[in-house]
Amino acid sequence: MNITTKLNIVPFVSVDSMMKLVLAIGIEQFLTELARYVEEDFLRWESFDKTARVASHSTEGVIELMPASDGKMYGFKYVNGHPKNMLEGLQTVTAFGVLAEVDSGYPVLLTEMTILTALRTAVTSALAAKYLAPKNARTMAIIGNGAQSEFQALAFKALLGIDRLRLYDIDSTASHKCAANLANMGFDITICASGQEAVEGAEIITTVTADKKYATILTDNMVGSGIHINAVGGDCPGKVELHRDILLRSDIFVEYPPQTRIEGEIQQLADDHPVTELWQVMAGKASGRKNSKQITLFDSVGFATEDFSALRYVYDQLPRTGFYEELDLLADPDEPRDLFGMLLRAKQAAS
Amino acid sequence: MNITTKLNIVPFVSVDSMMKLVLAIGIEQFLTELARYVEEDFLRWESFDKTARVASHSTEGVIELMPASDGKMYGFKYVNGHPKNMLEGLQTVTAFGVLAEVDSGYPVLLTEMTILTALRTAVTSALAAKYLAPKNARTMAIIGNGAQSEFQALAFKALLGIDRLRLYDIDSTASHKCAANLANMGFDITICASGQEAVEGAEIITTVTADKKYATILTDNMVGSGIHINAVGGDCPGKVELHRDILLRSDIFVEYPPQTRIEGEIQQLADDHPVTELWQVMAGKASGRKNSKQITLFDSVGFATEDFSALRYVYDQLPRTGFYEELDLLADPDEPRDLFGMLLRAKQAAS
């Protein structure tokens, strides 16, 4: 399906269009539908051309390109991670992405992905928890109540029915912001004074903090048996959230081991520490949660196939919703070999 | 310098804007100025964070991401190469690119790069020839008269004073197209019936064909002593233009050896065959042309720093020319941690 027949045009979903798209579909509906695309792509994991992201590190942060292809479509995301940005009124993470046809190499979609990344990260976390969290879990602690927190909460509600939240952030204004944003959305919300208090009674612990350093958001004594940990914030070298001892007591599930061993919580462990690939659990090739005592840990770092799924989903929504603009991105001479002639004719047209 | 103070906005140079920009500056002037940027960046080669491009190969072509950073700015280009596209009325190569600030990770420019790539490729070829071609060369053979040919001709005119062209293409309509486009631009043009005829009397031979296969555009007997060869078309695994014997008689100059050994003409040679890096010649650390008998070969594949230079140049032209649009690409909540709140407020604003 091509939205446009004009060869020079690439449909563009701006931030404004993305918000309209999400709101027109409904946030929980969007999360539910997106989860189907993400799961679908995890289930055909082996058919993807995969590569660890291409990162350019600097003192203040990282800029990454994350490509993936299923042989028919190709997608990539540009994403930065700059924890200090927040202090300057900027986003820690901004992103945009492109979907293209493999057969022609022509892009078919350019879209903002700052909002979309928050949605796909939340969806991937909730999907993992569907396979790993204790059955009938209702209570989730969220440690770190910044830009990602509400999306996590709503994805867990949409996919697992989580309706009790225990919020903690070192900056309590963040927790109050999160609670206010989620008011009247069907949650019972408790703002907690410490991480220790937040985890009390929670069956799922989500850590989603932003500091670029070895932080210990969770210490070993805070994690009881039977818990599922959704570790979202530790996602680049030198940035982890969990005490190593927790990892040693957990069964660890990851997206793409070559990337997670560099970026995830498991950078604290030996290179051959056993981990299970999430797609194998989804495909029934490996066990998820085996019993009610087990501590399961989804060491989420975010993988390119998830962005590919998100790009695919957004692309499929465009014809019916129409929330996009037409971007004159691709040179389209009348005769393909006459790129220079196009330039000359533009000159004649202007004179 | 930031063109806009609006945090959500990224300046966008469409195909139409790029044509206006090039025409407003003047093609030869644009090429001359761009050459200064490219040379400047070659001269500080060691300060770049360099990586071979990230390629996704398929039966019909390749999609590549080409990132580079000088520690202050970060740039990347998306580019495809699909030789069969031409038969379907599409460009063999299309491209776009992004420039971003390393300190914040925020993009500051999105631009078409199909036209810009043709310009920067031509500029790099002409720059290399400035150091490698015989002194006072005036005649260039161009074998392959497709989308890149006129740009090559004009860059060699602007930088070296080449004013005699000998054109050959297996499809003579391409040669006539090229000659017509370059009419009244100060060239003496001869359309030739064979590659052999084209190289007669030429001091520089440019090969810029598009087939994705081991083609032999130049055979050994066609290349006399003292010639400079500008081999542009051979730029991915399995795509070369020159007979191996020519390579063995030539002194070979390349952009970034780890990439050229995979993609360039030298993929036909042993991995340790001696080559000279172009930046070293420019910086006076290695010799270029040593005598009038020597065959010099610039095995051009196109490197990410050249795109970086092109992005930098275009970005610097925007304030004075104004040929760009404002793209709502980056989510900018009033409070950085309140991405979800931005979405909620968009809902309230709409209802």
Side-chain angles (χ1 to χ4, degrees):
Chain A
M1 175 206 63
N2 273 315
I3 303 174
T4 172
T5 54
K6 286 174 266 182
L7 289 177
N8 65 315
I9 294 297
V10 175
F12 167 57
V13 179
S14 66
V15 174
D16 188 57
S17 292
M18 182 60 78
M19 293 198 291
K20 286 179 175 148
L21 184 66
V22 173
L23 293 171
I25 294 171
I27 301 177
E28 288 195 47
Q29 180 72 15
F30 189 108
L31 290 163
T32 305
E33 292 178 10
L34 176 55
R36 272 204 293 276
Y37 277 66
V38 172
E39 189 161 25
E40 209 170 275
D41 289 338
F42 267 109
L43 289 173
R44 60 194 185 104
W45 181 259
E46 287 166 301
S47 69
F48 276 90
D49 183 6
K50 291 178 289 289
T51 172
R53 55 186 144 203
V54 183
S56 179
H57 292 278
S58 59
T59 324
E60 294 297 354
V62 62
I63 296 177
E64 298 169 331
L65 298 174
M66 303 170 67
S69 171
D70 67 358
K72 193 164 165 289
M73 303 301 285
Y74 168 95
F76 82 89
K77 181 168 80 170
Y78 168 106
V79 59
N80 75 298
H82 287 71
K84 64 91 196 171
N85 272 5
M86 201 189 66
L87 302 172
E88 299 165 15
L90 302 173
Q91 289 287 292
T92 300
V93 172
T94 67
F96 65 90
V98 168
L99 191 68
E101 287 181 344
V102 168
D103 183 58
S104 68
Y106 268 50
V108 296
L109 171 69
L110 169 71
T111 178
E112 88 81 37
M113 289 189 81
T114 308
I115 298 168
L116 193 56
T117 294
L119 290 160
R120 76 85 161 124
T121 302
V123 155
T124 306
S125 283
L127 268 177
K130 235 180 52 173
Y131 292 90
L132 302 176
K135 288 282 160 260
N136 307 316
R138 287 186 62 186
T139 306
M140 176 159 82
I142 306 183
I143 301 179
N145 302 148
Q148 305 268 327
S149 56
E150 299 93 341
F151 296 97
Q152 288 282 334
L154 282 175
F156 276 78
K157 179 157 176 289
L159 271 67
L160 280 88
I162 294 296
D163 59 359
R164 294 175 192 154
L165 300 177
R166 300 181 65 78
L167 307 180
Y168 172 68
D169 196 292
I170 45 169
D171 178 356
S172 67
T173 59
S175 304
H176 286 283
K177 178 263 324 179
C178 178
N181 281 337
L182 294 174
N184 305 315
M185 291 192 181
F187 291 106
D188 174 354
I189 302 177
T190 307
I191 294 179
C192 303
S194 68
Q196 178 65 56
E197 187 188 332
V199 303
E200 280 166 22
E203 293 122 335
I204 301 172
I205 303 173
T206 288
T207 56
V208 58
T209 60
D211 268 355
K212 186 181 178 176
K213 61 182 178 198
Y214 287 95
T216 305
I217 310 302
L218 284 186
T219 52
D220 194 32
N221 64 311
M222 289 165 72
V223 180
S225 71
I227 290 285
H228 173 63
I229 305 172
N230 171 39
V232 179
D235 62 357
C236 74
K239 183 167 179 296
V240 299
E241 295 180 316
L242 309 186
H243 193 281
R244 187 171 178 277
D245 289 348
I246 301 173
L247 307 185
L248 298 174
R249 287 164 60 210
S250 303
D251 286 315
I252 301 172
F253 300 83
V254 304
E255 291 143 313
Y256 183 60
Q259 181 175 304
T260 312
R261 290 198 189 277
I262 295 168
E263 302 177 355
E265 297 296 330
I266 57 170
Q267 65 188 273
Q268 303 182 65
L269 302 180
D271 282 346
D272 60 352
H273 189 91
V275 297
T276 305
E277 294 184 51
L278 185 58
W279 75 271
Q280 294 199 310
V281 177
M282 292 185 181
K285 293 172 187 284
S287 302
R289 173 165 289 272
K290 291 175 200 149
N291 60 61
S292 62
K293 299 284 183 199
Q294 189 185 12
I295 299 171
T296 51
L297 166 63
F298 176 45
D299 188 1
S300 160
V301 295
F303 188 59
T305 58
E306 296 150 27
D307 298 307
F308 181 89
S309 311
L311 286 165
R312 213 161 58 76
Y313 174 68
V314 167
Y315 184 63
D316 285 352
Q317 308 318 307
L318 298 191
R320 65 182 179 93
T321 59
F323 291 123
Y324 65 93
E325 297 155 47
E326 300 200 330
L327 215 60
D328 169 33
L329 186 62
L330 304 175
D332 175 38
D334 299 332
E335 208 279 303
R337 286 175 303 183
D338 201 10
L339 187 63
F340 187 79
M342 184 180 73
L343 196 59
L344 285 187
R345 283 186 290 279
K347 187 175 186 176
Q348 285 152 8
S351 64
Chain B
M1 174 203 65
N2 273 316
I3 303 173
T4 173
T5 54
K6 287 174 265 186
L7 288 177
N8 66 315
I9 294 297
V10 175
F12 167 58
V13 179
S14 66
V15 174
D16 189 57
S17 293
M18 181 61 77
M19 293 198 292
K20 286 180 175 146
L21 184 65
V22 174
L23 294 172
I25 294 171
I27 301 177
E28 288 194 49
Q29 180 71 14
F30 189 107
L31 289 163
T32 305
E33 291 178 9
L34 175 55
R36 272 203 293 275
Y37 277 66
V38 172
E39 190 161 23
E40 208 171 275
D41 288 339
F42 267 108
L43 288 173
R44 59 196 186 106
W45 181 259
E46 287 166 301
S47 69
F48 277 90
D49 183 6
K50 290 178 289 288
T51 170
R53 55 186 143 203
V54 183
S56 178
H57 292 279
S58 60
T59 324
E60 296 296 355
V62 62
I63 296 177
E64 297 169 332
L65 298 174
M66 302 170 67
S69 171
D70 67 358
K72 190 165 166 288
M73 302 301 284
Y74 168 96
F76 83 90
K77 180 169 80 170
Y78 169 105
V79 59
N80 75 297
H82 286 70
K84 62 94 194 169
N85 273 6
M86 200 190 65
L87 302 172
E88 299 164 14
L90 302 174
Q91 288 287 292
T92 299
V93 171
T94 66
F96 65 90
V98 168
L99 191 69
E101 287 180 345
V102 167
D103 183 59
S104 67
Y106 269 49
V108 296
L109 171 69
L110 170 70
T111 177
E112 90 80 36
M113 288 189 82
T114 308
I115 298 168
L116 192 57
T117 294
L119 291 159
R120 76 87 162 121
T121 302
V123 155
T124 306
S125 283
L127 269 178
K130 235 178 54 173
Y131 293 90
L132 302 176
K135 287 285 159 257
N136 307 316
R138 288 186 62 185
T139 306
M140 176 159 81
I142 306 182
I143 301 180
N145 302 149
Q148 305 268 329
S149 56
E150 298 93 341
F151 297 96
Q152 288 282 336
L154 282 175
F156 276 77
K157 179 159 176 288
L159 271 68
L160 280 88
I162 294 296
D163 58 1
R164 294 175 191 154
L165 300 178
R166 301 180 64 78
L167 307 180
Y168 172 67
D169 196 293
I170 45 168
D171 178 357
S172 67
T173 59
S175 304
H176 286 283
K177 178 263 324 177
C178 179
N181 281 337
L182 294 175
N184 307 314
M185 292 193 180
F187 291 106
D188 173 357
I189 302 177
T190 308
I191 293 179
C192 303
S194 67
Q196 176 65 57
E197 186 188 332
V199 303
E200 281 167 20
E203 292 122 337
I204 301 172
I205 303 173
T206 288
T207 56
V208 58
T209 61
D211 268 355
K212 186 181 177 177
K213 62 184 180 199
Y214 287 96
T216 304
I217 309 301
L218 283 186
T219 52
D220 193 33
N221 63 311
M222 289 164 71
V223 180
S225 71
I227 291 286
H228 173 62
I229 305 172
N230 171 39
V232 179
D235 62 356
C236 75
K239 182 167 180 296
V240 299
E241 295 181 316
L242 308 187
H243 193 282
R244 187 172 178 275
D245 289 348
I246 300 173
L247 307 185
L248 298 175
R249 288 164 60 211
S250 304
D251 286 314
I252 301 172
F253 300 83
V254 303
E255 290 142 314
Y256 183 60
Q259 181 176 303
T260 311
R261 291 199 189 275
I262 294 167
E263 302 177 355
E265 296 297 330
I266 57 171
Q267 65 188 273
Q268 303 179 65
L269 302 179
D271 283 347
D272 59 352
H273 188 92
V275 297
T276 305
E277 295 184 49
L278 184 59
W279 77 268
Q280 293 198 312
V281 178
M282 292 184 182
K285 292 171 187 286
S287 303
R289 172 166 290 273
K290 290 174 204 153
N291 60 61
S292 63
K293 299 284 183 197
Q294 190 186 11
I295 299 171
T296 51
L297 166 62
F298 176 44
D299 188 1
S300 159
V301 295
F303 188 59
T305 56
E306 297 151 26
D307 298 308
F308 181 90
S309 310
L311 287 164
R312 212 162 58 76
Y313 174 68
V314 167
Y315 184 64
D316 284 352
Q317 308 319 306
L318 298 191
R320 64 184 180 93
T321 60
F323 292 123
Y324 65 93
E325 298 154 48
E326 299 200 331
L327 215 62
D328 169 34
L329 187 61
L330 304 176
D332 174 38
D334 299 333
E335 209 279 302
R337 286 175 302 183
D338 200 10
L339 188 62
F340 188 79
M342 184 179 70
L343 196 60
L344 285 186
R345 283 186 289 279
K347 188 176 185 175
Q348 286 152 6
S351 63

